[in-house]
Amino acid sequence: MNDPPHKTLPERTVLNEGTEEEIGCYGYKQSAGRTILTYLGIFCSGGLLLLIFYWKPEWSLKAQYIRCSLREAEAVLLKDIYRRWHTAKVERTNVELPDDSTFQKRKYPHKTPPSNTPTEPLDGDFKEKGVNGSMEKVNTHATHVANSQQEVQIFSDEKQKIKFFRYQKLKYLWDPYEENFYKLRGLDIDTPCSDFYSKYNGMSLQQQDKRRNLYGENLIGIELKPIFLLFITEAMNPFYIFQLYSVLLWIIGYQYIYFSVAILVMSMVSISLTVYSTRKQAVTLRQMVESSTDVTVWRGGDVYDVISERDLVPGDVITLPLKGCVMTCDAVLVAGSCIVNESMLTGESVPITKTALPPEEFGILNTETHKRHILFCGTDVIQCRRGPDTYVRAVVLRTGFSTSKGTLVRSILYPKPMDFKLYRDAMRFIGVLASIAAIGFVLIITVKIMKKATVKDIIIKALDIFTIAVPPALPAALTIGMVFAQRRLKKKGIFCISPQRINVSGTLDVVCFDKTGTLTEDHLELLGVAPITSESLIAAMPEKFSPDKEGSSFVLIEDPSKLPSGPVLHCMGACHSITLIDGELRGDPLDLQMFAATKWHLKEPKEGEETDFRTYMPTIVRPMPWPGETPEGEGHDGPSSAQEDHGDQPEIGILRQFTFSSAFQRMSVITQAKGSNNLVIYVKGAPEKVAAHCDNLTVPDDFQEVLQEYTHQGLRVLAIAYRILDESITYSDAQRITREQVESDLTFLGLLIMQNTLKPETNPVIAQLSKARIRTVMVTGDNILTAIHVARKCGMIDEKETVVRIDAHAPTSDEGSSIQYTIVRAELHGRAFCRASDSEQSKISNENSALVLDDEEDFESVKITMDGDAEKVDHSTYHFAMDGKTFAVIMEHFPDLVPKIAVRGTVFARMSPDQKAQLVEALQSLEYYVGMCGDGANDCGALKTAHAGISLSEAEASVASPFTSRTPNIECIPTLIKEGRAALVTSFGVFKYMAMYSMIQFISVIILNTIQSFPGDWMFMYWDIAITTTVALFAGRNEAYPKIVARKPQSQLMEAPMIFSIVCMILLQMLCQVGGYFFLTTRAWFTPLEPIIGDMNILCYESTVVFYISAFQYIIVAFLFSKGPPFRKPLYTNIPYTIGLIILTLFTAFLVIYPTKPLEDFFMLMDIPDLLFRVLILALALANFLAAIIIEVYIANSSFVKNLLTCKKCRGKDTLPRYMQLQNELSEDHHWPPITHKDMEGVRNRHGRVPPNPRIPPAYISESAF
């Protein structure tokens, strides 16, 4: 690795730079003086300072420690990329280093370690390098450029002191020579591929123990904290601490026993429910990851040992049982092959073939490039196949939390925080309320002093004002909508592991979709094979050809089993990774469809079983079933008539597979036919890639034209080719040869044509999102023309809208980087696919019309052509389409264009998993709230990156996605958006209610304190328990509105209309309470309160009237802030809440009009003798209600007030999100993009290899990177 770009200072550094785990690291050492002062402060504060340190550990560290160099650090302060602070203790321990077989020598630069620092080993991330038979250890964390170096001998018989710290389950070790900490790594970093054969040939027990001392146990441990400890931890939450403070104040100051007990009981119930949920999640996660098995390790030679999986360390060589197992570490396969199910990590339950890392492989091991040779922890090894003379062996790469499964578990334990402004705004609003409370604090002290109140009364009343004006449950109110929405989502088969993202899902601006398995069906239907027309094919199938017609070089054969025995049929029967598991064919759905179409049979001979081959063949295929085999429902009892006519019954053995790789975009198999001495390689993959590796003379001139003919109809196209290998290549040679040596000079055979139809739910959902002005984007790994067609068919791109294809080219030695824009248009035509008969052609057209056209009478195919007329582009509606290669070039060479691409891009094809995540990040950088919907491994990164990622896979990998849908279609997206919007509106409503509830009570208490009175215990009970609890329990039960409207709900608490609404409502409530109070003083029967010093003075006319008015005000705001359409169903559909509000209103009215003596005594109310006054109180409440409706419905939400408050005309476009500003700029710019003036119809490479993105000759407009 190269030197990090940051400058490492003695007291600080940056770890894991450039990754999501990047952290800033600062060194600290303990100060005796500071520590003494800190403990003194804790004692003097009565433990309050200790509580603050519990909430803010970084403050505790800074209080007791002083900054120092990392070399001297006793603790480190860590800052992650989300600006959160963490602390960790630096530990020291003695470790006996591995002996000279693995850790004998290490090279360092000429510098020597500091004299006061003991010689300490690095973190174990060492690259082994053999020099003349000796083992040297090279520090792979830095590039040493010193001219002179000195050897530092580390003797294996001495224990060395190392220091390290632990952060998020990983160990970071100190390197005294680089004076920095580094993450402890396994053999997955900087290890040459050849080392797995030459260096790792079994470790002794002593060597293994030494490595274990460094790496620790191979364990993904989930700690189950005792319930009591969980309870205490939850009770230490600031919310509950504030509740405890309030309760103690009420009991000591007012003797409000009943109210205090009620609050305590509610808090205990809330804590218990949280502890139960936390414990349940921990138990579930622990059950998911726990494992306890034994593993066989190879010690070298013929020595094998059975040990616990916990004892494994990087470098161990394990043998895998033939019957399969569950991987408990990451390991690279070095002998044999395996069939694995990686659904635990990828979400795809399709069996995958893993082959041994080729011994001749050059370069450094890369876990992504070589993933087809790596067995990942947590994956299910279904079946193993060993070579002729070896066991199935693998070298351990990583253990514990460093494994792929460990990384997944760590992402669950330490999730990425959501950058959603709602919670931050809530804390700011609490600050505003605290400021108001401070004003009340000063006011009450002033009034009490003027009234000559006792010191105790002044202190208690002044402190109590904070418990009233600052409701501790305010942040928790934001979760009420999420809790109810999560329950409703669960009932609809959508599960959520990150509830805070429910609110975020209600703000989505754009949703990205994977194509295959998400928008389209999972399975592929093989429409046929299109081999190259040849004399032998015409002779074997004359009925397929009409000599009087001219057509393409390809002929479409619907039933491949009728093909004559030859390379095309043999390729379809052999070029796959299908395996037999429990007597059932398993593998990639595409391979299964292709193999089933041949009506062949597959057999996997057991070791020692006699076959017709001279050597062992792991897999054998042939048309006829083997004796005693029952046909598996292929619908035939023997070979096809074509094969019978020729009397040719081939039997092909598959001796080696080169599995599919996204980097190569193809797979191949080396085979041998029974009775043949030659080996044959068959290749299947992306047409452009396969054609590029074929002999130019074998690729038809109209290849590119025919390929576009199929792909623009949304059909999945693969190319097939083969090559007869030289007779000098033997069976053993084939086991060692590289794919680059044999996947060249191929003979092109033809095309496989498959159809992947849209799911029936796709079009309605896309239409629903479009009407709601939620942008939709397709991100797929499929062909770009296929993706464009599907985008048009599903409604992402309207038929009348323009598609501009972008092709970017990286710089070469001859020319710089360039980018070109070409209009892709759709027009109808009636071209024949091949020289087929009229009846068959009509049938083919009809089959394709089901996918391509909406009207049954249009049996023509859709043809995409390239038009260079830039003037026809509607700059308000055009869409960009590009492939992954172009996306990568733009990201690197045209970064200024990325925002424009992100705003207008609709189709992104051939995208890798990393590119999908990069696209999501690019959208987020433009202030889009992004949703992502996918079903497979390629989508995991994007699902985690998006604001709201929803997986359609039920596999365990879905735990990495915030949402998982049991229904495997995109109907879950509108459901999630609707529930998110409902949750957001509910959270805002409850938040506004809690804010108004505190302000109403604040006003009431201030008024009564001015006359030396105070509300009674049961008055508080009625306000807080009866009314507010009803809101908390039932307000969130309003279900989501059935339609998605174009307008989004409010998503920020500190927006001007929101503040305007709350301020106006506070003034209205204050006006009504003060007005009611002064109206009371004008009554002839009114007797002012004569306060008794030291008494609460509850029973008086003033407290009674204030209680009546405020009770109605609580009910009014509870009703007013429970909004219905267009985001939630009407209030009356929430039956419990509606009934609760009606009962509370009637009961309060009953208290006002006709209170009974027991009720008056219970609530400590005065008997008001004037019935008219009681009626006027009801009239005042009604006027309050009507005024509140006018303010909230007609004034606060009016466009005039919004524009006035936000000064929209003054601020101009800056008020819009970045993506809207960019959209407006692009709509007004009629000169961009510069369209290429070239008709692309018929453009192809007739005599050379066909490039994946052929450049357009010669007149095109390009944008240079410089």
Side-chain angles (χ1 to χ4, degrees), residues 709-726:
E709 188 79 42
Y710 288 120
T711 55
H712 71 57
Q713 299 175 61
L715 300 175
R716 180 80 178 272
V717 181
L718 296 178
I720 53 177
Y722 86 115
R723 172 187 167 191
I724 301 175
L725 302 182
D726 191 89

Side-chain angles (χ1 to χ4, degrees), residues 288-289 343-345 347 378 405 408 412 953-960:
M288 184 186 80
V289 303
S343 62
M344 168 66 192
L345 300 175
K405 183 178 180 180
L408 175 62
I412 300 172
S953 170
E954 292 188 61
E956 294 181 25
S958 62
V959 297

Side-chain angles (χ1 to χ4, degrees), residues 246 249-251 253-263 266 444 460-461 464-469 993 997-1006 1008-1009 1013-1029 1096 1098 1103 1106-1108 1110-1111 1114 1144 1151 1162-1165:
S246 303
L249 185 65
W250 296 331
I251 292 176
Y254 305 124
Q255 288 77 49
Y256 283 176
I257 305 299
Y258 297 108
F259 179 62
S260 300
V261 170
I263 294 296
M266 291 178 63
I444 285 180
I460 290 175
K461 296 293 177 58
D464 184 54
I465 201 68
F466 286 99
T467 70
I468 294 171
Y993 171 81
Y997 145 80
S998 65
M999 286 294 97
I1000 291 170
Q1001 198 168 101
F1002 176 79
I1003 295 168
S1004 301
V1005 171
I1006 290 293
L1008 294 180
N1009 268 291
S1013 180
F1014 204 74
D1017 193 359
W1018 289 102
M1019 291 182 183
F1020 279 113
M1021 286 283 285
Y1022 186 66
W1023 289 338
D1024 292 0
I1025 305 301
I1027 300 177
T1028 304
T1029 302
M1096 299 298 297
I1098 298 172
S1103 65
V1106 168
F1107 170 74
Y1108 286 152
S1110 59
Y1114 292 127
L1144 290 171
L1151 278 179
F1162 181 78
F1163 285 101
M1164 300 185 72
L1165 302 173

Side-chain angles (χ1 to χ4, degrees), residues 661-674:
S661 167
S662 57
F664 293 106
Q665 295 185 23
R666 62 185 183 274
M667 73 157 293
S668 59
V669 293
I670 298 178
T671 67
Q672 185 176 37
K674 180 181 67 176

Side-chain angles (χ1 to χ4, degrees), residues 104-123:
Q104 182 182 15
K105 293 181 181 179
R106 290 164 51 196
K107 279 186 178 180
Y108 297 106
H110 63 280
K111 67 175 182 178
T112 59
S115 58
N116 58 345
T117 304
T119 302
E120 302 171 347
L122 287 174
D123 63 353

Side-chain angles (χ1 to χ4, degrees), residues 4 295 356 376 392 416 766 876 1079:
V295 183
F376 294 104
V392 181
K416 172 185 175 182
I766 299 298
S876 63
F1079 184 65

